[in-house]
Amino acid sequence: MDGLDIFVVALVVLVLWLLFAGIKTVPQGYQYTVERFGRYTRTLQPGLNLIIPFFDRIGARMNVMEQVLDVPTQEVITRDNASVSADAVAFYQVLNAAQAAYQVANLENAILNMTMTNIRSVMGSMDLDELLSNRDAINDRLLHVVDEAAKPWGVKITRVEIKDIAPPKDLVDAMARQMKAEREKRAQVLEAEGSRNAQILRAEGAKQSAILQAEGQREAAFRDAEARERLAEAEAKATKMVSEAIAAGDVQAINYFVAQKYTEAIASLGTSPNSKVVLIPMEASSLIGSLSGIGAIAREVFGDGSPPSAPRPRASTPVTGATPRNPFDTTQRES
């Protein structure tokens, strides 16, 4: 092998070495910055890229995937001078590799310190009760403040979350007692309101019951009065008809009227609650004799002209003892 062959081989090897030195492969999720003589020139995207050997070199290898940053626990003094411990977690993503590489040194440490500082600032401007109950509001304020501060670095803060807020133990005990007292107070208030509503409902029910009872009594009295009025009208009409019949000389009418009253009187005596023993003429002949005696009295009063006739004796089997006397028959005499 002569000198020319050696030169050709060396040239081929040099060209191959230059090609391999100029070919750069960037993995997915990363971006590389290119520096020419120490100055930033461009950013290599994921895939196969070419640079000029000896003139260009890879500067910073930036991860452009979303990353999580754990914020350590720190003490925070609230606006009402309560000391609490708080820790958080932050998520960020590099949007501009050149700014993230050359605008700030140690990007992760810068984001961490800025987040911790803003946590103390935001939480220190709130009272303890507001701090414990408005965690979403704290996260929103932190995200807005930290994201605005990280924009010049080419970084997007996607999320800031407060993981835990721990007040001192004595403060937790005091809050527990306060919560218990508040719950007992609300329970007593609800119990009092329930008792008041129950009394109101009972009073309303009694009022409605009294109104309905009064209306029922009024309706019953009205119907009772109407019934008595109709009964009185019927009685007056019956008495008038009997009087007209008697005036016309109809003796049977007065016999019917007196017999009806006589029967009703006997029924009243039998149903009286104070009566234990009642002696009344229960034979049918006595009642018929009474009717005949009433008829005789009526003929004497209205002047029939003929003397009153004695009632026909009742045909019956002789029995021991006297026949009951008819109190309305004036033709009977004591022997």
Side-chain angles (χ1 to χ4, degrees), residues 71-96:
V71 181
T73 303
Q74 58 180 331
E75 295 292 330
V76 178
I77 305 298
T78 62
R79 186 171 59 185
D80 53 353
N81 297 324
S83 177
V84 297
S85 299
D87 57 353
V89 59
F91 297 84
Y92 69 95
Q93 183 179 11
V94 175
L95 300 180
N96 192 317

Short mmCIF file of all heavy atoms in Angstrom, two decimals, residues 71-96:
data_model
loop_
_atom_site.label_atom_id
_atom_site.label_comp_id
_atom_site.label_asym_id
_atom_site.label_seq_id
_atom_site.Cartn_x
_atom_site.Cartn_y
_atom_site.Cartn_z
N VAL A 71 -42.63 20.06 47.30
CA VAL A 71 -42.29 21.22 48.14
C VAL A 71 -42.25 20.75 49.58
O VAL A 71 -43.25 20.23 50.10
CB VAL A 71 -43.32 22.35 47.96
CG1 VAL A 71 -42.94 23.55 48.82
CG2 VAL A 71 -43.40 22.75 46.50
N PRO A 72 -41.15 20.89 50.28
CA PRO A 72 -41.05 20.38 51.66
C PRO A 72 -41.93 21.17 52.63
O PRO A 72 -42.39 22.28 52.36
CB PRO A 72 -39.56 20.54 51.99
CG PRO A 72 -39.09 21.63 51.09
CD PRO A 72 -39.89 21.52 49.83
N THR A 73 -42.14 20.59 53.81
CA THR A 73 -42.97 21.21 54.84
C THR A 73 -42.26 22.43 55.42
O THR A 73 -41.05 22.42 55.67
CB THR A 73 -43.25 20.20 55.96
OG1 THR A 73 -43.87 19.04 55.41
CG2 THR A 73 -44.16 20.80 57.02
N GLN A 74 -43.07 23.47 55.66
CA GLN A 74 -42.53 24.71 56.22
C GLN A 74 -43.56 25.32 57.16
O GLN A 74 -44.76 25.07 57.05
CB GLN A 74 -42.16 25.70 55.12
CG GLN A 74 -43.33 26.08 54.22
CD GLN A 74 -42.94 27.06 53.15
OE1 GLN A 74 -42.03 27.87 53.33
NE2 GLN A 74 -43.63 27.03 52.03
N GLU A 75 -43.07 26.12 58.11
CA GLU A 75 -43.93 26.80 59.07
C GLU A 75 -44.44 28.11 58.46
O GLU A 75 -43.67 28.87 57.85
CB GLU A 75 -43.16 27.10 60.35
CG GLU A 75 -42.73 25.86 61.12
CD GLU A 75 -43.90 25.10 61.71
OE1 GLU A 75 -44.93 25.76 62.03
OE2 GLU A 75 -43.80 23.88 61.85
N VAL A 76 -45.75 28.34 58.66
CA VAL A 76 -46.39 29.55 58.13
C VAL A 76 -47.16 30.22 59.26
O VAL A 76 -47.88 29.55 60.02
CB VAL A 76 -47.35 29.21 56.96
CG1 VAL A 76 -48.03 30.46 56.45
CG2 VAL A 76 -46.59 28.51 55.83
N ILE A 77 -47.00 31.54 59.39
CA ILE A 77 -47.73 32.33 60.38
C ILE A 77 -48.90 33.00 59.66
O ILE A 77 -48.71 33.76 58.71
CB ILE A 77 -46.84 33.39 61.04
CG1 ILE A 77 -45.60 32.72 61.66
CG2 ILE A 77 -47.62 34.15 62.09
CD1 ILE A 77 -45.91 31.74 62.75
N THR A 78 -50.12 32.71 60.11
CA THR A 78 -51.31 33.28 59.47
C THR A 78 -51.53 34.71 59.92
O THR A 78 -50.80 35.23 60.78
CB THR A 78 -52.55 32.42 59.82
OG1 THR A 78 -52.76 32.44 61.23
CG2 THR A 78 -52.35 30.99 59.36
N ARG A 79 -52.54 35.34 59.34
CA ARG A 79 -52.82 36.74 59.66
C ARG A 79 -53.25 36.93 61.10
O ARG A 79 -53.00 37.99 61.71
CB ARG A 79 -53.90 37.27 58.71
CG ARG A 79 -54.18 38.76 58.84
CD ARG A 79 -55.08 39.23 57.73
NE ARG A 79 -56.36 38.51 57.71
CZ ARG A 79 -57.29 38.68 56.77
NH1 ARG A 79 -57.07 39.53 55.78
NH2 ARG A 79 -58.41 37.99 56.81
N ASP A 80 -53.90 35.90 61.69
CA ASP A 80 -54.32 35.98 63.09
C ASP A 80 -53.30 35.33 64.03
O ASP A 80 -53.65 34.86 65.11
CB ASP A 80 -55.70 35.36 63.28
CG ASP A 80 -55.78 33.95 62.72
OD1 ASP A 80 -54.80 33.52 62.07
OD2 ASP A 80 -56.80 33.27 62.90
N ASN A 81 -52.04 35.28 63.59
CA ASN A 81 -50.90 34.83 64.41
C ASN A 81 -51.01 33.38 64.85
O ASN A 81 -50.60 33.02 65.97
CB ASN A 81 -50.73 35.73 65.64
CG ASN A 81 -50.41 37.16 65.27
OD1 ASN A 81 -49.69 37.41 64.29
ND2 ASN A 81 -50.94 38.12 66.02
N ALA A 82 -51.55 32.53 63.98
CA ALA A 82 -51.58 31.10 64.25
C ALA A 82 -50.49 30.43 63.42
O ALA A 82 -50.34 30.70 62.23
CB ALA A 82 -52.95 30.52 63.90
N SER A 83 -49.73 29.56 64.05
CA SER A 83 -48.63 28.89 63.37
C SER A 83 -49.11 27.54 62.85
O SER A 83 -49.61 26.70 63.62
CB SER A 83 -47.46 28.69 64.34
OG SER A 83 -46.43 27.98 63.71
N VAL A 84 -48.94 27.30 61.56
CA VAL A 84 -49.34 26.05 60.93
C VAL A 84 -48.19 25.53 60.08
O VAL A 84 -47.33 26.29 59.63
CB VAL A 84 -50.61 26.22 60.06
CG1 VAL A 84 -51.79 26.65 60.90
CG2 VAL A 84 -50.36 27.22 58.95
N SER A 85 -48.19 24.22 59.86
CA SER A 85 -47.21 23.58 58.98
C SER A 85 -47.90 23.20 57.68
O SER A 85 -49.00 22.62 57.70
CB SER A 85 -46.63 22.33 59.64
OG SER A 85 -45.97 22.67 60.85
N ALA A 86 -47.26 23.52 56.55
CA ALA A 86 -47.87 23.27 55.25
C ALA A 86 -46.82 22.73 54.29
O ALA A 86 -45.66 23.16 54.30
CB ALA A 86 -48.50 24.55 54.69
N ASP A 87 -47.24 21.77 53.48
CA ASP A 87 -46.40 21.29 52.38
C ASP A 87 -47.25 21.23 51.12
O ASP A 87 -48.48 21.25 51.19
CB ASP A 87 -45.79 19.92 52.70
CG ASP A 87 -46.85 18.89 53.00
OD1 ASP A 87 -48.04 19.26 53.10
OD2 ASP A 87 -46.51 17.70 53.13
N ALA A 88 -46.56 21.17 49.98
CA ALA A 88 -47.27 21.26 48.71
C ALA A 88 -46.54 20.45 47.65
O ALA A 88 -45.47 19.87 47.89
CB ALA A 88 -47.41 22.72 48.28
N VAL A 89 -47.15 20.43 46.48
CA VAL A 89 -46.56 19.78 45.32
C VAL A 89 -46.84 20.66 44.11
O VAL A 89 -47.94 21.22 43.99
CB VAL A 89 -47.12 18.36 45.12
CG1 VAL A 89 -48.61 18.38 44.95
CG2 VAL A 89 -46.43 17.65 43.96
N ALA A 90 -45.84 20.83 43.23
CA ALA A 90 -45.97 21.70 42.06
C ALA A 90 -45.66 20.89 40.79
O ALA A 90 -44.75 20.04 40.79
CB ALA A 90 -45.02 22.89 42.17
N PHE A 91 -46.40 21.18 39.74
CA PHE A 91 -46.20 20.55 38.44
C PHE A 91 -45.81 21.65 37.44
O PHE A 91 -46.49 22.69 37.38
CB PHE A 91 -47.48 19.84 37.98
CG PHE A 91 -47.91 18.71 38.87
CD1 PHE A 91 -48.65 18.95 40.01
CD2 PHE A 91 -47.55 17.41 38.57
CE1 PHE A 91 -49.05 17.91 40.83
CE2 PHE A 91 -47.94 16.36 39.39
CZ PHE A 91 -48.69 16.61 40.53
N TYR A 92 -44.75 21.40 36.68
CA TYR A 92 -44.32 22.40 35.71
C TYR A 92 -43.88 21.70 34.43
O TYR A 92 -43.56 20.50 34.41
CB TYR A 92 -43.19 23.26 36.28
CG TYR A 92 -41.88 22.52 36.46
CD1 TYR A 92 -40.89 22.57 35.47
CD2 TYR A 92 -41.63 21.80 37.62
CE1 TYR A 92 -39.69 21.89 35.63
CE2 TYR A 92 -40.44 21.12 37.78
CZ TYR A 92 -39.47 21.17 36.78
OH TYR A 92 -38.28 20.49 36.94
N GLN A 93 -43.83 22.47 33.35
CA GLN A 93 -43.41 21.95 32.04
C GLN A 93 -42.61 23.02 31.32
O GLN A 93 -42.99 24.20 31.30
CB GLN A 93 -44.63 21.56 31.21
CG GLN A 93 -44.29 20.93 29.87
CD GLN A 93 -45.53 20.53 29.09
OE1 GLN A 93 -46.65 20.91 29.46
NE2 GLN A 93 -45.34 19.76 28.04
N VAL A 94 -41.47 22.61 30.73
CA VAL A 94 -40.61 23.52 29.98
C VAL A 94 -41.21 23.70 28.58
O VAL A 94 -41.39 22.73 27.84
CB VAL A 94 -39.18 22.98 29.89
CG1 VAL A 94 -38.33 23.89 29.01
CG2 VAL A 94 -38.57 22.86 31.28
N LEU A 95 -41.53 24.94 28.25
CA LEU A 95 -42.06 25.25 26.92
C LEU A 95 -40.99 25.80 25.98
O LEU A 95 -41.08 25.61 24.76
CB LEU A 95 -43.21 26.26 27.06
CG LEU A 95 -44.41 25.82 27.90
CD1 LEU A 95 -45.46 26.92 27.93
CD2 LEU A 95 -44.99 24.52 27.41
N ASN A 96 -40.01 26.49 26.52
CA ASN A 96 -38.93 27.06 25.72
C ASN A 96 -37.61 26.59 26.33
O ASN A 96 -37.21 27.03 27.40
CB ASN A 96 -39.01 28.59 25.71
CG ASN A 96 -38.10 29.22 24.69
OD1 ASN A 96 -36.94 28.81 24.51
ND2 ASN A 96 -38.60 30.24 24.01
#
